[in-house]
Structure formats: structure tokens, C-alpha cells
Amino acid sequence: MSDRIRSASASHAEFTRAVNDELAKFERSEREFRKRDRDERAKRLQLPVEKYDAEDWRMRKLSSPLHRT
């Protein structure tokens, strides 16, 4: 392999590594932002922050004062 091809391959690998690192950093900050945003909206709407499965959520809806008949 010539030096020019080896150099191009190395710089491409470095670029790819840098892009992957930046993408991972962005995804991490995006997840943190979404979590903060979700928690703030839940607090503003006075909703519980815990996660419920579908069965538990249906049970809570039926017993809530807004859904009583």
C-alpha cells in the first residue's frame, strides 16, 4: 500500500472516529434534555414522574376523579 493511500485511510478513520464521538455526545445531551423537559412538563402539569405500564395506567385512569361517572 502506498504512503498516500495509507495516509488517506488513516485520516478517514480519524474523521470517522471523531464523527462517531460527536454523535454519541449529541445523543447523550439530547436524552438528558428530553428527560429534563419531560420532568418539567410533568411537574407543571402535576403528573407523576414514575413510569407505568399500560395495565397500571388504565387502572389509575378509572379511579381518577375526572373519570368517575
Side-chain angles (χ1 to χ4, degrees):
M1 193 184 273
S2 73
D3 290 336
R4 186 174 182 189
I5 295 173
R6 193 174 301 126
S7 174
S9 176
S11 64
H12 183 287
E14 290 174 20
F15 175 75
T16 304
R17 189 176 314 114
V19 167
N20 286 334
D21 291 345
E22 288 296 317
L23 181 60
K25 189 186 330 179
F26 172 76
E27 289 173 340
R28 189 171 32 255
S29 67
E30 184 68 16
R31 279 192 304 270
E32 291 170 2
F33 171 77
R34 287 183 181 188
K35 183 182 182 311
R36 280 193 314 271
D37 185 49
R38 182 177 58 241
D39 292 347
E40 288 171 5
R41 281 185 285 131
K43 184 177 179 181
R44 188 173 57 240
L45 297 172
Q46 299 178 351
L47 297 173
V49 179
E50 302 93 23
K51 296 178 181 173
Y52 302 106
D53 60 7
E55 188 70 29
D56 188 26
W57 185 248
R58 276 186 249 123
M59 296 296 286
R60 289 184 177 275
K61 271 185 165 178
L62 294 174
S63 64
S64 99
L66 297 175
H67 291 90
R68 289 187 185 151
T69 55

